[in-house]
Amino acid sequence: MSVDQATVKRVARLARLKVKDEELPKLAGELNSILGWIEQLNEVDVSAVEPLTSVVSVKMKMRKDEVTDGHYPAKITANAPAQEDSFFMVPKVVE
C-alpha cells in the first residue's frame, strides 16, 4: 500500500493537524515506511501462537466482589455542598 500526498493531507485534516505543504512529501515517506513495516509483520505466521496478556504465565489475583461503602464515606462527602447519611444530595431534575 502506498500513501500519496493527498492522502497525507486528508489524514492530517481528519486528525485536526496543521501540516504545511512542504512537509507533505516527508510525511508521506514516513507513513509509507511504517506501512511497509506493518506489511512485513503480516507475513509472519502466528497461527500456532496462543493469544496472551503477559509474557510470563501469571494467574490474575482475584478479590471478592463485595459491596462496601469505601470505608470512609465521611471523607468523600466532606466537601459536598449538601449531604445526608453519607450520601450526596442533589436537586431533583426529573418530575
Side-chain angles (χ1 to χ4, degrees):
M1 182 177 176
S2 181
V3 175
D4 59 353
Q5 292 183 22
T7 306
V8 172
K9 191 180 259 188
R10 183 171 186 268
V11 169
R13 184 182 60 80
L14 290 172
R16 290 181 167 74
L17 298 174
K18 188 175 184 180
V19 177
K20 297 178 184 173
D21 288 337
E22 56 267 11
E23 295 174 338
L24 290 176
K26 181 183 175 198
L27 289 175
E30 289 178 1
L31 285 175
N32 282 324
S33 64
I34 291 169
L35 291 174
W37 185 70
I38 291 172
E39 287 175 1
Q40 274 184 322
L41 288 176
N42 285 334
E43 294 173 4
V44 177
D45 180 26
V46 292
S47 59
V49 178
E50 293 280 328
L52 57 102
T53 57
S54 175
V55 181
V56 182
S57 179
V58 177
K59 183 164 172 78
M60 295 287 290
K61 294 180 182 177
M62 303 295 281
R63 63 174 170 81
K64 286 186 175 179
D65 191 16
E66 342 177 287
V67 177
T68 66
D69 62 357
H71 306 297
Y72 43 88
K75 288 183 182 178
I76 293 172
T77 58
N79 292 327
Q83 53 119 346
E84 183 178 305
D85 295 329
S86 300
F87 291 101
F88 294 99
M89 292 180 60
V90 296
K92 189 175 185 179
V93 294
V94 178
E95 293 293 327

